[in-house]
Amino acid sequence: MAIEGADIVKAAAFIGAGLAMGFGAIGPGVGEGFAAGKACEAIGKKPEEAGLLTRTMLVGQAVSESTGIYSLVIALLLLFVV
Amino acid sequence: MDELTEIPQMTLEFFGINLVFNTQTILMTWVVMAALIGFGFLATKKIGFLPNPFQVVGELLVTVFQGLTLDALGEDLAKKYFPLICGLFMFLLLSNWLGIIPELSEPTKDLNTPLGLGIMGFCIAHYSGIKAKGFKAYVKGYTEPIIFLAPLNVIGEISKVISISFRLFGNIMGGAIIILVVSHLVYSLILPPALNLFFGLFVGTIQAFVFTMLTLVYISVQVN
Amino acid sequence: MFTDVATIIKLASFGGAGICIGLGAIGAAVGEGYTAGMANLSISHKPERSGDIMKNMLVGQAVAESAGIFALVIAIVLIFMDASSTNLLTAAALFGAGICMGFGAIGSGIGSGYPGGEACLGLSRQPSVSNRLMTNMLIGSAVCQTPAIFSMVVSLMLIFKNIGDLPLAPTWAALLGAGISTGVAAIGSGMGGGMTAGASCESIARNPETLGRVTTTMLVGQAVSQTPSIFGLLVSFILMFKTFPESSTLSAAMALLGAGICMGFGGIGPGIGNGMTAQGAVKWVSRNIEAAGELMRTMLVGQAVSQSTAIYAMVISLVLVFVV
Amino acid sequence: MEEIKQTQKKYCSQAMFFAIAMFIVFLLLGEKAIGKGFLLGTLFSVINFVVMGQLMPLYLGKKTHSKASAFALVSILLRFAILAVPLVISLKISSIHFIGVVIGLFTVQLAILFDQIIINRLHIMRKA
């Protein structure tokens, strides 16, 4: 096997991209699901406020998704820039 | 197992640029469109007090989606966007169900279809956002909470297109691949049709609804 | 160093079998422990109903154990099958199969403990609905086994795959990645499905009249929670059936391994999150049946949004496989 | 304890009945090896179910989840050792088919699911 410096850097970048996106997806996934579950509970309590609650849920999810997007950006940077 | 990633393509040369057409996808999209036009014709042919079955289904769809758009967008905009939302749902539903029929395949299995629909929804949402809030307020929305986060906000918006289209693509393509692999492994009369029913009808319906609802939600987030 | 290929293959299959049966047994044990703890609690509430509760626990455990038995079957195949191959790729495939089934059984094992426990607790609260409660528990924990079945399919395909004369260098990573992708992604979906089923058992004990709507919402919620594991399966199949050109560079192999790890771990969080969403929706369907349609809609939108990180992981995996 | 015994009796007899019926079907189809494997698998599945029921009262002394889980791990490893026997036998003896044993191991589960979901559903539907 001919392993050179540049090859090792590339290999590290690829596996790092996989790790970054893989582990980065855990937190936002659980968090967004938690937010949506709480929104469902709130709608069960007050169905007439459903529109407002759905919007609030979406805003909250969008904010908690930002760490997932950071991971995506890092992964793409590792794949295409390094 | 090579048929998995293979899409029949036709290449045409047009002023020195190679244009690639996925013939099967285009054909299947036409089948869906023809079926929808036929459905619309049958549903509205004889509108009567005692409706025919097509009219019942059509009225059901229209009522449900009218209610949904009304909830999300409010009186004025709902009138404008309701035909789009209802049409989108009917197109996606029929597209996802098409794979049940032998020899036909879902047009949504090709990434280009969901991506195109996702970009369409993205453009409509941002157009309506600019129209509703004005250009200045629209741009200002990106600089919140601080101006340095503007690039990430833009990426966040673009990633919505990716997530909405890859969700549909992944579900439909995953279902198709699982059905293909299982039918290669076991030659039974029970398992592949049951899987077809699950992935084609059940998952297909849920994903069509989710895609439509998310398009609606993106529009409503931009407008409000 | 080992120079004997047969020894390396044997080592890989024994290691895979150990991981498989170990993780599978731990998953089933945690699930059964949860059920047993809840059964204890409910018997101490209502000692006179201990017979019914224990019957429910027995039936629930018998079904919940299926994922563990899948792991046992795969482990036995890995240990006792005589691999006459002289190709080093077989070692990667067998190890990948063990990882896939081992991790795949954890989620389903833990998950199917929740409906059993909640059903035991519900029996002490509402003795009159024992039949409906048990039926619902069994449906819920049977659906929980789906990710484990996905993992079993993938590991059987890895074991019996005709390796032929595929190039060793990047393909070993693809086979290992295929195992990791489905196996690890199944953890989230299994646990998520279990949370949903547990909530539905609790809801039926609270309000038995709403059985139909609760079961429907549970099934839809579980089906959507399975999406991350379907993504994992998709990536696995692509990694298994695509032929990769031979290359001796480290980066080609690491790209394929990274694709598997990315999709595998990326599927855990969204699976659990989807389960939490469905849990909230199912709980409140029984308390406020008028809002069932609204709840189902919000649940679907919320689950779809919380899946987006799994989709980003899938995109990165597909880029690693096809573009790089 | 009476309920546990009743349940075990019911599902074990259902499973054995089903296994014998399937054995005859496989015999008529000419797949003797699969039929034998199915019978063997079902036998051990029933044994596993009975052992599980016998161990059940021992769970009740365990007050916490973690203690119960530790006990469950021991019991699972014991029962999996029992379940491993037919699998190993079928891999070593060629007249017993492996796939038959694997399907046979799930006969008790299938009997429970069939009884509870299909028959019970019909019962509820008829009442409603």
Side-chain angles (χ1 to χ4, degrees):
Chain A
M1 280 249 259
I3 298 176
E4 293 156 15
D7 186 31
I8 290 178
V9 170
K10 259 203 146 145
F14 290 157
I15 200 121
L19 286 174
M21 192 62 239
F23 284 95
I26 296 178
V30 176
E32 287 172 47
F34 189 73
K38 288 290 174 203
C40 284
E41 283 182 17
I43 286 177
K45 281 178 204 160
K46 264 192 186 276
E48 62 275 8
E49 293 286 343
L52 177 66
L53 286 168
T54 311
R55 264 205 299 286
T56 314
M57 173 189 89
L58 284 168
V59 171
Q61 285 186 323
V63 173
S64 62
E65 197 177 304
S66 48
T67 49
I69 292 174
Y70 299 158
S71 321
L72 181 71
V73 172
I74 295 294
L76 287 175
L77 283 179
L78 280 171
L79 284 180
F80 292 114
V81 179
V82 175
Chain B
M1 223 57 85
D2 286 332
E3 60 256 53
L4 273 183
T5 46
E6 185 181 284
I7 295 170
Q9 286 183 332
M10 184 177 68
T11 315
L12 283 184
E13 197 166 319
F14 183 78
F15 292 117
I17 308 163
N18 279 336
L19 297 178
V20 182
F21 295 96
N22 297 351
T23 43
Q24 198 192 20
T25 311
I26 293 177
L27 201 67
M28 290 304 143
T29 315
W30 283 343
V31 170
V32 173
M33 288 193 286
L36 276 181
I37 290 171
F39 170 74
F41 184 70
L42 283 173
T44 53
K45 197 172 66 176
K46 262 194 235 158
I47 296 180
F49 188 66
L50 281 176
N52 62 2
F54 293 101
Q55 194 186 334
V56 172
V57 176
E59 281 180 0
L60 184 74
L61 279 172
V62 167
T63 334
V64 168
F65 279 92
Q66 213 158 23
L68 288 179
T69 27
L70 213 62
D71 279 355
L73 294 176
E75 193 86 33
D76 304 332
L77 285 167
K79 232 179 236 166
K80 200 164 148 196
Y81 288 109
F82 152 68
L84 169 84
I85 297 300
C86 195
L88 188 62
F89 178 72
M90 283 182 355
F91 176 76
L92 285 172
L93 190 68
L94 219 58
S95 303
N96 295 348
W97 283 2
L98 204 63
I100 304 171
I101 307 166
E103 300 298 321
L104 297 182
S105 76
E106 305 92 338
T108 35
K109 212 169 82 178
D110 183 356
L111 178 59
N112 292 305
T113 312
L115 200 59
L117 290 172
I119 292 173
M120 179 197 82
F122 175 79
C123 292
I124 291 173
H126 284 261
Y127 166 74
S128 56
I130 293 174
K131 215 177 160 194
K133 289 189 290 196
F135 191 70
K136 248 186 190 167
Y138 170 78
V139 173
K140 198 164 171 277
Y142 284 100
T143 57
E144 282 170 358
I146 44 171
I147 195 153
F148 300 112
L149 284 177
L152 282 167
N153 281 332
V154 174
I155 291 173
E157 285 299 315
I158 292 170
S159 70
K160 277 182 186 170
V161 181
I162 294 174
S163 78
I164 194 175
S165 46
F166 271 85
R167 177 179 302 116
L168 185 60
F169 163 73
N171 272 290
I172 302 298
M173 183 75 182
I177 287 185
I178 291 165
I179 290 168
L180 194 73
V181 169
V182 170
S183 0
H184 268 269
L185 286 179
V186 285
Y187 300 95
S188 83
L189 274 174
I190 305 164
L191 208 52
L195 278 176
N196 239 324
L197 282 181
F198 176 73
F199 281 110
L201 288 179
F202 189 57
V203 174
T205 311
I206 287 180
Q207 292 304 325
F209 183 74
V210 163
F211 193 99
T212 318
M213 279 310 290
L214 283 181
T215 308
L216 183 60
V217 160
Y218 289 163
I219 294 176
S220 87
V221 165
Q222 284 294 333
V223 168
N224 293 316
Chain C
M1 285 299 282
F2 311 107
T3 43
D4 188 9
V5 174
T7 318
I8 296 178
I9 291 177
K10 268 270 167 284
L11 269 180
S13 60
F14 286 167
I19 291 175
C20 180
I21 190 67
L23 293 184
I26 288 174
V30 172
E32 283 191 11
Y34 184 80
T35 313
M38 285 304 211
N40 266 335
L41 197 66
S42 35
I43 286 178
S44 64
H45 280 317
K46 280 252 167 69
E48 68 274 15
R49 302 212 36 95
S50 66
D52 242 16
I53 290 169
M54 278 163 84
K55 176 183 157 196
N56 184 64
M57 184 179 155
L58 177 71
V59 173
Q61 278 195 3
V63 174
E65 223 177 47
S66 311
I69 301 180
F70 293 148
L72 175 76
V73 170
I74 297 290
I76 297 283
V77 171
L78 282 177
I79 293 175
F80 286 96
M81 203 186 60
D82 40 316
S84 51
S85 161
T86 52
N87 195 336
L88 258 181
L89 265 185
T90 317
L94 293 180
F95 195 63
I99 289 182
C100 179
M101 190 64 239
F103 281 104
I106 285 189
S108 297
I110 298 177
S112 49
Y114 295 136
E118 293 294 343
C120 285
L121 208 59
L123 270 179
S124 69
R125 197 182 293 158
Q126 264 291 3
S128 58
V129 289
S130 63
N131 245 341
R132 294 183 201 184
L133 204 53
M134 201 190 263
T135 309
N136 196 69
M137 173 190 84
L138 287 173
I139 296 177
S141 49
V143 177
C144 273
Q145 310 295 328
T146 330
I149 294 175
F150 288 163
S151 318
M152 190 168 76
V153 169
V154 169
S155 43
L156 283 178
M157 288 171 89
L158 279 172
I159 292 173
F160 294 109
K161 185 174 161 52
N162 184 16
I163 301 256
D165 50 353
L166 291 172
L168 172 68
T171 316
W172 68 267
L175 294 177
L176 212 55
I180 294 174
S181 167
T182 306
V184 180
I187 297 177
S189 295
M191 283 181 67
M195 289 172 179
T196 315
S200 85
C201 287
E202 195 229 315
S203 310
I204 287 173
R206 194 174 286 273
N207 191 356
E209 296 307 311
T210 55
L211 176 74
R213 288 311 278 269
V214 167
T215 311
T216 318
T217 315
M218 174 191 85
L219 286 177
V220 172
Q222 284 187 320
V224 180
S225 307
Q226 240 113 68
T227 310
S229 70
I230 291 177
F231 291 160
L233 203 59
L234 180 76
V235 171
S236 288
F237 280 144
I238 289 171
L239 283 173
M240 267 192 278
F241 290 113
K242 196 173 180 300
T243 40
F244 298 98
E246 182 164 13
S247 93
S248 60
T249 53
L250 189 64
S251 58
M254 282 307 130
L256 299 176
L257 191 62
I261 291 176
C262 178
M263 188 60 241
F265 285 95
I268 297 179
I272 297 177
N274 278 350
M276 283 174 158
T277 311
Q279 195 180 22
V282 166
K283 259 186 196 165
W284 280 88
V285 163
S286 72
R287 286 169 215 196
N288 192 353
I289 186 87
E290 281 89 39
E294 195 77 46
L295 279 169
M296 172 91 92
R297 207 158 67 227
T298 314
M299 178 186 84
L300 282 177
V301 172
Q303 285 186 320
V305 175
S306 69
Q307 264 164 25
S308 43
T309 43
I311 294 162
Y312 300 154
M314 186 177 72
V315 172
I316 294 290
S317 303
L318 292 181
V319 167
L320 277 168
V321 173
F322 285 106
V323 180
V324 175
Chain D
M1 280 319 286
E2 201 47 43
E3 277 96 344
I4 288 186
K5 273 206 183 113
Q6 290 277 330
T7 321
Q8 277 179 345
K9 224 179 186 174
K10 184 171 149 201
Y11 291 129
C12 292
S13 55
Q14 272 181 11
M16 283 319 288
F17 182 75
F18 180 64
I20 291 167
M22 286 305 282
F23 179 62
I24 293 169
V25 169
F26 278 123
L27 220 57
L28 291 178
L29 286 173
E31 303 273 1
K32 205 174 165 193
I34 295 185
K36 267 197 234 167
F38 191 77
L39 209 55
L40 188 71
T42 309
L43 192 66
F44 276 86
S45 169
V46 165
I47 293 174
N48 176 40
F49 191 58
V50 170
V51 172
M52 189 197 280
Q54 294 302 316
L55 292 177
M56 189 108 328
L58 299 180
Y59 275 106
L60 298 180
K62 313 287 176 292
K63 284 289 176 235
T64 56
H65 286 310
S66 55
K67 266 187 190 161
S69 296
F71 181 75
L73 189 61
V74 175
S75 117
I76 281 176
L77 289 178
L78 172 72
R79 283 182 286 115
F80 278 10
I82 297 172
L83 285 184
V85 173
L87 291 167
V88 176
I89 291 176
S90 73
L91 281 172
K92 292 289 169 198
I93 299 173
S94 58
S95 71
I96 296 175
H97 203 285
F98 182 70
I99 301 291
V101 177
V102 173
I103 302 170
L105 284 184
F106 292 98
T107 319
V108 169
Q109 276 88 345
L110 289 178
I112 291 174
L113 285 179
F114 180 77
D115 181 68
Q116 281 291 327
I117 292 175
I118 295 178
I119 296 181
N120 238 346
R121 267 287 141 118
L122 288 179
H123 198 66
I124 291 173
M125 268 161 72
R126 207 177 301 144
K127 246 196 240 166

